[in-house]
Amino acid sequence: MTVQQKKDKNREMSFYKNNYEHLADELKKLDLLIQLRTAAFRLKIQAMQKTAASQHMYISHEEVDWLLSQNDPFVADHPDLQKIRNQLEILQNEINTRVNTTIERGVFLALPKLASLFGLSPFELQTVIICLAPELHRKYDKLYAYLQDDITRKKPSVDLVLDLLCETEVDRWRARTIFSGHASLFRAGILHMTDDPQSPSGSSGLARFLKLDPRILNFLLGNNSIDARLVGVAQVYNPPSTMDHVLVDPLIKTELLNFARNHFSAQKAVKKRLVFYFHGPYGVGKRDLALGICGQLNCPMLCLDMDLLLAHGSDVETLLRPAFREGLLLQAALYLGDTDVLLKEDDKAKSFFKKLAKVVEEYGWLTFLAGEKPWSSRGIFEHTTFHVIKLPVPDVPLRVMAWEKALKNQSVGTGKEFAAQLANQFRLTPGQICDAAEFAQNYRASKNGQDEITLPDLYTACRNQTNQKLSELAVKIEPHYSWEDIILPEDKVAQLKEICSQVKHHYRVFGEWGFDQKLSHGKGLSVLFSGPPGTGKTMAAEVIAHELQLDLYKIDLSGVVSKYIGETEKNLSKIFQEAETGNAILFFDEADALFGKRTEVSDAHDRYANIETSYLLQKMEEYEGIVILATNLRENIDEAFTRRIRFIVEFPFPDEASRRRIWQTHFPKKAPLGEGIDYEFLAKQLQIAGGNIKNIVLNAAFLAAENGGIIGMEHILHGVKREFEKIGKLWSKKELNKFLNSKSGGRP
Ligand code: ADP
């Protein structure tokens, strides 16, 4: 061999090329240990045979003497054994050096990794190797049976391990602690202890067999498929290399990343477990953010399905432990979403939580918990850094990005054109935006013919994502009316149009132009509609909703205001929370119930009513959509409240000209109208509001449907009679005749 060849050989010998080379060396070492043990055994037999004159079928005196003198120094120090010990020492040193150099080179070696992950001592690791060997080579079955002096005992037992690894009896006793159930090897499920099937009840601790866990066997062989028990419950995600795709406020991303990096920085001596709790509405990007952070920390993420875990009931630990152990083996962060169920105050949730906290403390180096509700750990996690992050619905620019991404595959133009509009209009999370885009696509697909998604499709889809629960608290009104239906003085219509334009440009003014920085509150659009009943307040709300393509919810305040203290706030809070996602228009009818004047606080309930009112005002000011309060009597509304309202629109009682137009617009084009309908006459003679006109027209239509099929003046007048009866106005025959006379008199 040349000098150069020698050098190359030496360099090659200084590290392991891969995990398998190292395993092979460890088996060599095991062979030497077995050799040492068998050599010692044979020497002892020889020694015994020297002492014992003959062999008997029963236990002889000589054998007993021999057993009692087992630690014969002659045998222990025998040069043959010493030779093997020397070989062992040389090999061990060589392995140590090569392992260190290999790890420095960044090559994965499973055994040292296992030891460092679970804090195993060299003795424990050697035990693992003894249990691993028969899985790699069948010769160990024979060797172990031979060493245990029993052809049926092919598996390694506690006794065998102690025999192979301990020189003296005292060493054996000391080593026994690693075989207790609480010791690392068994707590972490690296080894399992089983009874000797030949004598299950009679096996002493020493005789019990040791079995290597199948997942650990895979790990040692460099196979990283997850634990079979976790298939279906957990899924590994490989993170992307950048966080650019994570549609979360960049400030939050940076803060989190710095926090995590600092926590795991090499300079930190004590490394506590780290648990992040992300809370925010559905689809806000909790999992994406966690995965993004994993990408930056260069580790995969193991996601657990909360429902499936919980389905395991009290047995959940049998999944939680392997799951968190898997996190260690894969060097993956753990992610548990939907943790809201754990915040419940029932026993099941509490017990689950305790178990979770326990495994986190044992194995959870980095854990993400995520739910919708805010939460503080209240000391459940000891020795753990617990960091809470709130993820709000993203602002318009991020929503635009989410829309562009969701509509990317749509026909050219659609994405960019619609994204800004939709982002501005709906406060949806990126997840909801994806769902909405998909919904729109399916909706379009279900309609044959045109396959391009339209803006109305997307609006429908967006509304479908929101306000699902709001219908429990409010009545949803389908807005049918548009500008041409409502008859109001010009300046009132202009006022209503201004309200619409404020919604359209909300983000430009508050976001882009920075007005939100100047105003601590009052960004919401609060509107008061006042006017006599039936003058078009609800109708105007519908027109606005129709124009802006937003949902309209009517809330009857008398139903929300509860006599139970605190309940009203709860109801109001629910309403606003639910409405927020869709920017729905909230229409509070009969607002006087809350905003009515109170001269002085007379009883406890009044005091609470005051609290409720300021609570509603606060909610209205925080709300980014439109809140409309309607009242019949503006005078009833306290000045202090009207001052805080952005728009006040007074709905006048319609004058004659308006009444005429209202009469006219109330007959649909398709309705069969008779010749003689005198709108002039009706408008002049009947001083009634639009609401009454609507009722009369409808009654007349039904009457005509029953009699003749053509709507005539007589049907209308009958309708007037009914409406007057209803509202308590007198309608006598005399009056009718007077009207009819004036009618005929007034006509050419
Ligand atoms: P309010 O909310 O003021 O009590 P509504 O808006 O519910 O009144 O009015 C009831 C119905 O009366 C409307 O659906 C519409 O048919 C009719 N109406 C009322 N005011 C007008 C108006 N200004 N222009 C046209 N129709 C009106």
Side-chain angles (χ1 to χ4, degrees):
M1 204 183 269
T2 66
V3 179
Q4 187 55 42
Q5 276 172 330
K6 259 189 189 167
K7 269 189 187 169
D8 288 348
K9 179 86 186 150
N10 279 348
R11 197 177 314 121
E12 216 168 85
M13 287 294 291
S14 67
F15 62 90
Y16 292 113
K17 281 208 256 356
N18 53 43
N19 183 38
Y20 304 115
E21 265 194 8
H22 174 229
L23 288 182
D25 257 6
E26 289 291 352
L27 290 189
K28 260 190 223 161
K29 196 175 91 197
L30 177 61
D31 288 354
L32 279 176
L33 278 170
I34 295 171
Q35 223 178 309
L36 183 65
R37 160 85 176 108
T38 45
F41 185 67
R42 282 181 200 147
L43 285 170
K44 279 175 193 169
I45 299 278
Q46 280 169 16
M48 188 190 79
Q49 278 169 350
K50 267 190 211 154
T51 345
S54 58
Q55 299 254 335
H56 300 280
M57 290 306 284
Y58 55 86
I59 301 166
S60 66
H61 301 301
E62 293 77 13
E63 194 178 351
V64 171
D65 291 344
W66 177 77
L67 283 170
L68 290 172
S69 65
Q70 257 213 63
N71 282 327
D72 187 342
F74 161 75
V75 172
D77 292 338
H78 194 279
D80 286 358
L81 301 187
Q82 214 48 53
K83 206 173 125 200
I84 303 173
R85 284 197 193 101
N86 290 343
Q87 279 176 302
L88 252 173
E89 199 181 322
I90 292 166
L91 182 58
Q92 182 65 68
N93 288 339
E94 211 177 287
I95 291 178
N96 288 350
T97 318
R98 289 181 81 181
V99 163
N100 289 340
T101 325
T102 313
I103 292 175
E104 273 166 26
R105 291 178 148 242
V107 176
F108 171 78
L109 294 182
L111 281 164
K113 190 81 205 171
L114 189 77
S116 84
L117 290 178
F118 296 96
L120 303 182
S121 65
F123 191 101
E124 287 171 311
L125 195 61
Q126 197 56 59
T127 307
V128 172
I129 296 165
I130 294 171
C131 299
L132 168 71
E135 305 283 351
L136 302 183
H137 209 300
R138 289 210 54 198
K139 77 174 183 189
Y140 292 99
D141 286 350
K142 271 212 180 112
L143 288 171
Y144 289 173
Y146 170 77
L147 289 169
Q148 296 183 85
D149 200 14
D150 184 340
I151 195 66
T152 63
R153 294 177 69 85
K154 291 174 183 154
K155 289 185 197 132
S157 65
V158 175
D159 192 42
L160 175 78
V161 172
L162 294 174
D163 266 358
L164 286 174
L165 302 182
C166 300
E167 290 274 343
T168 67
E169 251 334 270
V170 176
D171 285 350
R172 287 172 61 100
W173 299 336
R174 273 205 199 100
R176 279 297 289 273
T177 49
I178 73 149
F179 298 102
S180 77
H182 299 297
S184 313
L185 283 176
F186 301 96
R187 218 180 46 227
I190 297 170
L191 296 184
H192 304 285
M193 188 103 74
T194 55
D195 281 331
D196 174 3
Q198 302 295 325
S199 61
S201 55
S203 11
S204 69
L206 283 174
R208 295 184 80 194
F209 289 124
L210 298 170
K211 178 156 176 43
L212 187 64
D213 183 72
R215 171 62 183 112
I216 300 292
L217 169 64
N218 278 344
F219 175 79
L220 293 177
L221 294 178
N223 174 352
N224 262 341
S225 0
I226 62 167
D227 198 312
R229 288 168 289 182
L230 299 174
V231 174
V233 179
Q235 201 178 347
V236 184
Y237 287 89
N238 287 317
S241 53
T242 76
M243 278 179 98
D244 294 348
H245 76 290
V246 182
L247 295 175
V248 167
D249 184 344
L251 287 176
I252 296 181
K253 285 199 274 191
T254 319
E255 184 208 331
L256 262 179
L257 199 56
N258 289 343
F259 191 97
R261 280 198 175 130
N262 185 34
H263 187 90
F264 294 114
S265 84
Q267 282 87 38
K268 276 210 162 171
V270 187
K271 286 200 176 50
K272 279 180 158 189
R273 312 295 191 199
L274 177 58
V275 176
F276 280 120
Y277 178 62
F278 295 163
H279 68 95
Y282 162 81
V284 82
K286 300 183 279 276
R287 204 178 64 185
D288 270 3
L289 180 60
L291 199 57
I293 290 178
C294 287
Q296 297 304 300
L297 297 178
N298 213 3
C299 65
M301 190 167 91
L302 188 67
C303 270
L304 296 184
D305 187 308
M306 201 63 175
D307 290 336
L308 290 175
L309 273 183
L310 282 172
H312 268 71
S314 56
D315 230 15
V316 69
E317 225 172 333
T318 55
L319 278 184
L320 269 182
R321 283 187 150 267
F324 275 76
R325 187 186 74 169
E326 193 63 50
L328 265 195
L329 294 174
L330 296 177
Q331 286 292 280
L334 260 286
Y335 180 90
L336 277 99
D338 299 327
T339 49
D340 295 282
V341 276
L342 299 183
L343 309 184
K344 280 194 207 148
E345 283 297 306
D346 62 15
D347 290 347
K348 196 175 160 194
K350 274 189 201 152
S351 117
F352 183 96
F353 225 132
K354 279 193 186 143
K355 286 170 184 164
L356 177 68
K358 215 164 95 189
V359 284
V360 164
E361 268 163 43
E362 253 178 278
Y363 306 124
W365 65 285
L366 172 60
T367 309
F368 295 99
L369 303 178
E372 296 200 6
K373 297 194 184 109
W375 176 61
S376 78
S377 80
R378 287 181 307 235
I380 287 183
F381 295 102
E382 288 173 36
H383 320 297
T384 302
T385 305
F386 189 82
H387 191 58
V388 178
I389 297 283
K390 179 182 174 184
L391 298 179
V393 176
D395 273 345
V396 176
L398 280 177
R399 299 209 290 262
V400 172
M401 283 163 77
W403 274 113
E404 282 177 357
K405 198 169 143 194
L407 298 174
K408 199 171 57 202
N409 298 330
Q410 295 311 317
S411 50
V412 201
T414 313
K416 282 222 180 302
E417 266 170 43
F418 299 163
Q421 210 168 330
L422 292 161
N424 204 26
Q425 196 85 304
F426 293 95
R427 279 187 89 242
L428 295 181
T429 61
Q432 286 174 313
I433 289 174
C434 276
D435 294 350
E438 201 182 317
F439 181 97
Q441 227 161 345
N442 295 340
Y443 178 78
R444 190 37 56 198
S446 69
K447 307 235 165 223
N448 295 330
Q450 193 188 348
D451 54 4
E452 204 171 286
I453 296 183
T454 64
L455 198 57
D457 290 346
L458 287 163
Y459 269 93
T460 310
C462 286
R463 283 198 299 270
N464 198 272
Q465 302 303 314
T466 59
N467 315 327
Q468 302 291 356
K469 289 184 224 151
L470 196 59
S471 0
E472 292 165 17
L473 306 154
V475 181
K476 186 173 174 181
I477 300 179
E478 287 300 332
H480 294 297
Y481 295 122
S482 50
W483 295 112
E484 57 269 21
D485 298 308
I486 195 158
I487 313 296
L488 284 174
E490 245 171 59
D491 63 322
K492 303 292 170 196
V493 175
Q495 241 182 326
L496 297 176
K497 288 192 171 164
E498 273 168 43
I499 295 172
C500 292
S501 110
Q502 291 224 357
V503 174
K504 284 182 191 158
H505 302 298
H506 182 92
Y507 179 69
R508 172 176 279 193
V509 173
F510 282 108
E512 286 175 17
W513 296 355
F515 274 83
D516 56 345
Q517 308 293 321
K518 289 265 172 219
L519 302 166
S520 58
H521 62 262
K523 284 172 242 174
L525 193 51
S526 49
V527 180
L528 178 73
F529 285 173
S530 76
T535 48
K537 300 184 291 295
T538 314
M539 191 180 188
E542 282 188 49
V543 172
I544 293 175
H546 189 262
E547 167 74 14
L548 296 172
Q549 290 276 306
L550 292 174
D551 277 341
L552 171 63
Y553 282 91
K554 184 170 171 176
I555 298 119
D556 182 2
L557 268 180
S558 52
V560 173
V561 176
S562 163
K563 64 176 189 286
Y564 298 106
I565 290 162
E567 278 297 302
T568 309
E569 275 91 339
K570 248 194 226 164
N571 289 343
L572 286 172
S573 158
K574 255 196 233 166
I575 291 172
F576 278 97
Q577 205 182 335
E578 290 299 324
E580 220 162 45
T581 45
N583 266 350
I585 299 178
L586 296 178
F587 183 83
F588 288 91
D589 209 3
E590 301 189 26
D592 344 28
L594 265 188
F595 291 87
K597 274 189 188 150
R598 273 180 212 96
T599 40
E600 61 187 81
V601 174
S602 58
D603 64 9
H605 189 260
D606 266 6
R607 248 200 323 275
Y608 285 112
N610 273 335
I611 300 171
E612 288 159 3
T613 315
S614 45
Y615 185 79
L616 178 55
L617 271 174
Q618 181 205 328
K619 283 275 155 199
M620 277 168 58
E621 284 173 350
E622 286 167 5
Y623 188 64
E624 285 188 19
I626 310 178
V627 179
I628 302 173
L629 303 173
T631 176
N632 293 337
L633 288 165
R634 183 175 159 189
E635 305 77 63
N636 275 2
I637 302 260
D638 202 303
E639 265 289 303
F641 303 142
T642 44
R643 254 185 280 132
R644 292 168 74 172
I645 284 181
R646 290 268 299 284
F647 279 92
I648 297 181
V649 186
E650 308 253 11
F651 285 69
F653 193 87
D655 59 13
E656 190 183 325
S658 301
R659 287 201 297 271
R660 191 181 62 244
R661 286 176 58 210
I662 294 175
W663 275 111
Q664 285 164 338
T665 54
H666 268 80
F667 287 101
K669 281 198 183 80
K670 282 201 267 177
L673 288 187
E675 290 283 293
I677 295 179
D678 190 343
Y679 296 114
E680 303 280 339
F681 163 78
L682 291 168
K684 191 168 179 210
Q685 297 299 330
L686 301 170
Q687 292 185 12
I688 47 176
N692 307 112
I693 297 177
K694 174 190 163 188
N695 293 341
I696 294 168
V697 167
L698 207 61
N699 279 339
F702 277 110
L703 210 64
E706 180 71 27
N707 303 302
I710 304 281
I711 307 168
M713 201 59 183
E714 66 280 16
H715 302 121
I716 295 176
L717 289 174
H718 189 84
V720 173
K721 182 170 177 278
R722 286 276 173 267
E723 184 69 9
F724 272 39
E725 277 167 5
K726 201 176 83 193
I727 58 179
K729 272 200 178 193
L730 275 181
W731 181 260
S732 62
K733 220 176 187 142
K734 211 166 106 198
E735 263 182 316
L736 177 65
N737 285 335
K738 205 169 93 194
F739 279 133
L740 290 175
N741 290 340
S742 70
K743 190 185 144 213
S744 54
R747 297 176 94 198

PDB file of all heavy atoms in Angstrom, residues 481 485-488 532-539 662 665-666 690-691 694, ligand 1:
ATOM      1  N   TYR A 481     -85.640  45.770  -3.403  1.00  0.00           N
ATOM      2  CA  TYR A 481     -85.848  47.133  -3.910  1.00  0.00           C
ATOM      3  C   TYR A 481     -84.563  47.760  -4.417  1.00  0.00           C
ATOM      4  O   TYR A 481     -83.480  47.507  -3.886  1.00  0.00           O
ATOM      5  CB  TYR A 481     -86.410  48.024  -2.792  1.00  0.00           C
ATOM      6  CG  TYR A 481     -87.787  47.619  -2.336  1.00  0.00           C
ATOM      7  CD1 TYR A 481     -88.025  47.298  -0.997  1.00  0.00           C
ATOM      8  CD2 TYR A 481     -88.850  47.582  -3.238  1.00  0.00           C
ATOM      9  CE1 TYR A 481     -89.291  46.934  -0.565  1.00  0.00           C
ATOM     10  CE2 TYR A 481     -90.119  47.210  -2.805  1.00  0.00           C
ATOM     11  CZ  TYR A 481     -90.333  46.890  -1.479  1.00  0.00           C
ATOM     12  OH  TYR A 481     -91.581  46.521  -1.060  1.00  0.00           O
ATOM     13  N   ASP A 485     -87.395  52.198  -7.072  1.00  0.00           N
ATOM     14  CA  ASP A 485     -88.608  51.847  -6.323  1.00  0.00           C
ATOM     15  C   ASP A 485     -88.923  52.844  -5.211  1.00  0.00           C
ATOM     16  O   ASP A 485     -90.067  53.011  -4.828  1.00  0.00           O
ATOM     17  CB  ASP A 485     -88.453  50.463  -5.695  1.00  0.00           C
ATOM     18  CG  ASP A 485     -88.269  49.390  -6.740  1.00  0.00           C
ATOM     19  OD1 ASP A 485     -89.097  49.340  -7.660  1.00  0.00           O
ATOM     20  OD2 ASP A 485     -87.283  48.631  -6.646  1.00  0.00           O
ATOM     21  N   ILE A 486     -87.903  53.457  -4.687  1.00  0.00           N
ATOM     22  CA  ILE A 486     -88.135  54.285  -3.497  1.00  0.00           C
ATOM     23  C   ILE A 486     -88.440  55.734  -3.895  1.00  0.00           C
ATOM     24  O   ILE A 486     -87.751  56.312  -4.734  1.00  0.00           O
ATOM     25  CB  ILE A 486     -86.940  54.190  -2.507  1.00  0.00           C
ATOM     26  CG1 ILE A 486     -87.352  54.748  -1.153  1.00  0.00           C
ATOM     27  CG2 ILE A 486     -85.676  54.856  -3.029  1.00  0.00           C
ATOM     28  CD1 ILE A 486     -86.499  54.242  -0.009  1.00  0.00           C
ATOM     29  N   ILE A 487     -89.504  56.245  -3.327  1.00  0.00           N
ATOM     30  CA  ILE A 487     -89.918  57.613  -3.670  1.00  0.00           C
ATOM     31  C   ILE A 487     -89.595  58.505  -2.479  1.00  0.00           C
ATOM     32  O   ILE A 487     -90.235  58.427  -1.425  1.00  0.00           O
ATOM     33  CB  ILE A 487     -91.438  57.683  -3.962  1.00  0.00           C
ATOM     34  CG1 ILE A 487     -91.875  56.557  -4.904  1.00  0.00           C
ATOM     35  CG2 ILE A 487     -91.840  59.078  -4.444  1.00  0.00           C
ATOM     36  CD1 ILE A 487     -91.277  56.601  -6.290  1.00  0.00           C
ATOM     37  N   LEU A 488     -88.589  59.330  -2.656  1.00  0.00           N
ATOM     38  CA  LEU A 488     -88.169  60.218  -1.572  1.00  0.00           C
ATOM     39  C   LEU A 488     -87.708  61.539  -2.185  1.00  0.00           C
ATOM     40  O   LEU A 488     -87.323  61.577  -3.356  1.00  0.00           O
ATOM     41  CB  LEU A 488     -86.986  59.599  -0.814  1.00  0.00           C
ATOM     42  CG  LEU A 488     -87.248  58.450   0.149  1.00  0.00           C
ATOM     43  CD1 LEU A 488     -85.933  57.904   0.673  1.00  0.00           C
ATOM     44  CD2 LEU A 488     -88.133  58.870   1.324  1.00  0.00           C
ATOM     45  N   PRO A 532     -92.135  58.666  10.405  1.00  0.00           N
ATOM     46  CA  PRO A 532     -93.343  57.928  10.783  1.00  0.00           C
ATOM     47  C   PRO A 532     -93.349  56.523  10.179  1.00  0.00           C
ATOM     48  O   PRO A 532     -92.620  56.274   9.211  1.00  0.00           O
ATOM     49  CB  PRO A 532     -94.471  58.767  10.163  1.00  0.00           C
ATOM     50  CG  PRO A 532     -93.867  60.073   9.799  1.00  0.00           C
ATOM     51  CD  PRO A 532     -92.407  59.878   9.642  1.00  0.00           C
ATOM     52  N   PRO A 533     -94.171  55.660  10.752  1.00  0.00           N
ATOM     53  CA  PRO A 533     -94.208  54.288  10.229  1.00  0.00           C
ATOM     54  C   PRO A 533     -94.619  54.283   8.753  1.00  0.00           C
ATOM     55  O   PRO A 533     -95.393  55.127   8.320  1.00  0.00           O
ATOM     56  CB  PRO A 533     -95.294  53.604  11.074  1.00  0.00           C
ATOM     57  CG  PRO A 533     -95.596  54.520  12.201  1.00  0.00           C
ATOM     58  CD  PRO A 533     -95.088  55.874  11.873  1.00  0.00           C
ATOM     59  N   GLY A 534     -94.047  53.337   8.030  1.00  0.00           N
ATOM     60  CA  GLY A 534     -94.439  53.151   6.623  1.00  0.00           C
ATOM     61  C   GLY A 534     -93.889  54.191   5.676  1.00  0.00           C
ATOM     62  O   GLY A 534     -94.363  54.318   4.551  1.00  0.00           O
ATOM     63  N   THR A 535     -92.870  54.949   6.080  1.00  0.00           N
ATOM     64  CA  THR A 535     -92.364  55.999   5.181  1.00  0.00           C
ATOM     65  C   THR A 535     -91.145  55.532   4.385  1.00  0.00           C
ATOM     66  O   THR A 535     -90.518  56.306   3.686  1.00  0.00           O
ATOM     67  CB  THR A 535     -92.026  57.278   5.962  1.00  0.00           C
ATOM     68  OG1 THR A 535     -91.240  56.907   7.090  1.00  0.00           O
ATOM     69  CG2 THR A 535     -93.263  58.013   6.394  1.00  0.00           C
ATOM     70  N   GLY A 536     -90.760  54.275   4.556  1.00  0.00           N
ATOM     71  CA  GLY A 536     -89.708  53.722   3.687  1.00  0.00           C
ATOM     72  C   GLY A 536     -88.362  53.508   4.343  1.00  0.00           C
ATOM     73  O   GLY A 536     -87.347  53.349   3.660  1.00  0.00           O
ATOM     74  N   LYS A 537     -88.324  53.436   5.677  1.00  0.00           N
ATOM     75  CA  LYS A 537     -87.028  53.276   6.359  1.00  0.00           C
ATOM     76  C   LYS A 537     -86.444  51.884   6.064  1.00  0.00           C
ATOM     77  O   LYS A 537     -85.286  51.749   5.668  1.00  0.00           O
ATOM     78  CB  LYS A 537     -87.196  53.496   7.878  1.00  0.00           C
ATOM     79  CG  LYS A 537     -87.733  54.881   8.203  1.00  0.00           C
ATOM     80  CD  LYS A 537     -87.809  55.159   9.670  1.00  0.00           C
ATOM     81  CE  LYS A 537     -88.884  54.339  10.384  1.00  0.00           C
ATOM     82  NZ  LYS A 537     -90.271  54.677   9.949  1.00  0.00           N
ATOM     83  N   THR A 538     -87.292  50.879   6.236  1.00  0.00           N
ATOM     84  CA  THR A 538     -86.818  49.511   5.963  1.00  0.00           C
ATOM     85  C   THR A 538     -86.493  49.363   4.478  1.00  0.00           C
ATOM     86  O   THR A 538     -85.493  48.754   4.099  1.00  0.00           O
ATOM     87  CB  THR A 538     -87.909  48.491   6.348  1.00  0.00           C
ATOM     88  OG1 THR A 538     -88.407  48.840   7.626  1.00  0.00           O
ATOM     89  CG2 THR A 538     -87.378  47.086   6.370  1.00  0.00           C
ATOM     90  N   MET A 539     -87.348  49.996   3.685  1.00  0.00           N
ATOM     91  CA  MET A 539     -87.159  49.916   2.236  1.00  0.00           C
ATOM     92  C   MET A 539     -85.809  50.523   1.842  1.00  0.00           C
ATOM     93  O   MET A 539     -85.068  49.959   1.018  1.00  0.00           O
ATOM     94  CB  MET A 539     -88.297  50.686   1.576  1.00  0.00           C
ATOM     95  CG  MET A 539     -88.387  50.490   0.104  1.00  0.00           C
ATOM     96  SD  MET A 539     -89.770  51.474  -0.516  1.00  0.00           S
ATOM     97  CE  MET A 539     -89.832  50.894  -2.183  1.00  0.00           C
ATOM     98  N   ILE A 662     -95.900  56.996  -5.437  1.00  0.00           N
ATOM     99  CA  ILE A 662     -95.883  55.734  -4.660  1.00  0.00           C
ATOM    100  C   ILE A 662     -97.017  54.825  -5.126  1.00  0.00           C
ATOM    101  O   ILE A 662     -96.845  53.631  -5.360  1.00  0.00           O
ATOM    102  CB  ILE A 662     -95.961  56.000  -3.137  1.00  0.00           C
ATOM    103  CG1 ILE A 662     -94.696  56.727  -2.662  1.00  0.00           C
ATOM    104  CG2 ILE A 662     -96.130  54.689  -2.363  1.00  0.00           C
ATOM    105  CD1 ILE A 662     -94.700  57.140  -1.211  1.00  0.00           C
ATOM    106  N   THR A 665     -96.013  53.391  -8.527  1.00  0.00           N
ATOM    107  CA  THR A 665     -94.932  52.384  -8.549  1.00  0.00           C
ATOM    108  C   THR A 665     -95.343  51.077  -7.886  1.00  0.00           C
ATOM    109  O   THR A 665     -94.646  50.068  -8.029  1.00  0.00           O
ATOM    110  CB  THR A 665     -93.659  52.889  -7.829  1.00  0.00           C
ATOM    111  OG1 THR A 665     -94.038  53.307  -6.524  1.00  0.00           O
ATOM    112  CG2 THR A 665     -92.983  54.014  -8.569  1.00  0.00           C
ATOM    113  N   HIS A 666     -96.441  51.115  -7.144  1.00  0.00           N
ATOM    114  CA  HIS A 666     -96.791  49.880  -6.431  1.00  0.00           C
ATOM    115  C   HIS A 666     -97.519  48.845  -7.277  1.00  0.00           C
ATOM    116  O   HIS A 666     -97.719  47.717  -6.835  1.00  0.00           O
ATOM    117  CB  HIS A 666     -97.557  50.191  -5.147  1.00  0.00           C
ATOM    118  CG  HIS A 666     -96.619  50.325  -3.989  1.00  0.00           C
ATOM    119  ND1 HIS A 666     -95.900  51.470  -3.762  1.00  0.00           N
ATOM    120  CD2 HIS A 666     -96.237  49.447  -3.038  1.00  0.00           C
ATOM    121  CE1 HIS A 666     -95.131  51.304  -2.714  1.00  0.00           C
ATOM    122  NE2 HIS A 666     -95.308  50.076  -2.244  1.00  0.00           N
ATOM    123  N   GLY A 690     -96.568  55.414   2.632  1.00  0.00           N
ATOM    124  CA  GLY A 690     -96.295  54.369   1.640  1.00  0.00           C
ATOM    125  C   GLY A 690     -96.664  52.982   2.140  1.00  0.00           C
ATOM    126  O   GLY A 690     -97.162  52.144   1.385  1.00  0.00           O
ATOM    127  N   GLY A 691     -96.463  52.763   3.416  1.00  0.00           N
ATOM    128  CA  GLY A 691     -96.768  51.456   4.013  1.00  0.00           C
ATOM    129  C   GLY A 691     -98.228  51.115   3.840  1.00  0.00           C
ATOM    130  O   GLY A 691     -98.591  49.982   3.481  1.00  0.00           O
ATOM    131  N   LYS A 694     -99.070  50.406   0.186  1.00  0.00           N
ATOM    132  CA  LYS A 694     -98.662  49.041  -0.187  1.00  0.00           C
ATOM    133  C   LYS A 694     -99.739  48.038   0.220  1.00  0.00           C
ATOM    134  O   LYS A 694    -100.142  47.174  -0.569  1.00  0.00           O
ATOM    135  CB  LYS A 694     -97.344  48.708   0.498  1.00  0.00           C
ATOM    136  CG  LYS A 694     -96.893  47.294   0.307  1.00  0.00           C
ATOM    137  CD  LYS A 694     -95.730  47.004   1.206  1.00  0.00           C
ATOM    138  CE  LYS A 694     -95.530  45.523   1.326  1.00  0.00           C
ATOM    139  NZ  LYS A 694     -94.537  45.219   2.339  1.00  0.00           N
TER     140      LYS A 694
HETATM  141  P1  ADP B   1     -90.859  51.858   7.675  1.00  0.00           P
HETATM  142  O1  ADP B   1     -89.694  51.014   7.785  1.00  0.00           O
HETATM  143  O2  ADP B   1     -90.518  53.297   7.563  1.00  0.00           O
HETATM  144  O3  ADP B   1     -91.898  51.604   8.689  1.00  0.00           O
HETATM  145  P2  ADP B   1     -91.245  50.458   5.230  1.00  0.00           P
HETATM  146  O4  ADP B   1     -90.005  50.755   4.541  1.00  0.00           O
HETATM  147  O5  ADP B   1     -91.373  49.139   5.904  1.00  0.00           O
HETATM  148  O6  ADP B   1     -91.554  51.567   6.278  1.00  0.00           O
HETATM  149  O7  ADP B   1     -92.433  50.635   4.221  1.00  0.00           O
HETATM  150  C1  ADP B   1     -93.382  49.610   3.976  1.00  0.00           C
HETATM  151  C2  ADP B   1     -93.715  49.547   2.507  1.00  0.00           C
HETATM  152  O8  ADP B   1     -94.308  50.763   2.097  1.00  0.00           O
HETATM  153  C3  ADP B   1     -92.544  49.433   1.620  1.00  0.00           C
HETATM  154  O9  ADP B   1     -92.216  48.078   1.433  1.00  0.00           O
HETATM  155  C4  ADP B   1     -93.008  50.069   0.331  1.00  0.00           C
HETATM  156  O10 ADP B   1     -93.794  49.155  -0.388  1.00  0.00           O
HETATM  157  C5  ADP B   1     -93.889  51.152   0.826  1.00  0.00           C
HETATM  158  N1  ADP B   1     -93.200  52.441   0.962  1.00  0.00           N
HETATM  159  C6  ADP B   1     -93.003  53.107   2.105  1.00  0.00           C
HETATM  160  N2  ADP B   1     -92.341  54.241   1.879  1.00  0.00           N
HETATM  161  C7  ADP B   1     -92.093  54.288   0.566  1.00  0.00           C
HETATM  162  C8  ADP B   1     -91.414  55.220  -0.267  1.00  0.00           C
HETATM  163  N3  ADP B   1     -90.865  56.309   0.221  1.00  0.00           N
HETATM  164  N4  ADP B   1     -91.357  54.970  -1.580  1.00  0.00           N
HETATM  165  C9  ADP B   1     -91.925  53.860  -2.094  1.00  0.00           C
HETATM  166  N5  ADP B   1     -92.568  52.946  -1.362  1.00  0.00           N
HETATM  167  C10 ADP B   1     -92.677  53.165  -0.030  1.00  0.00           C
END
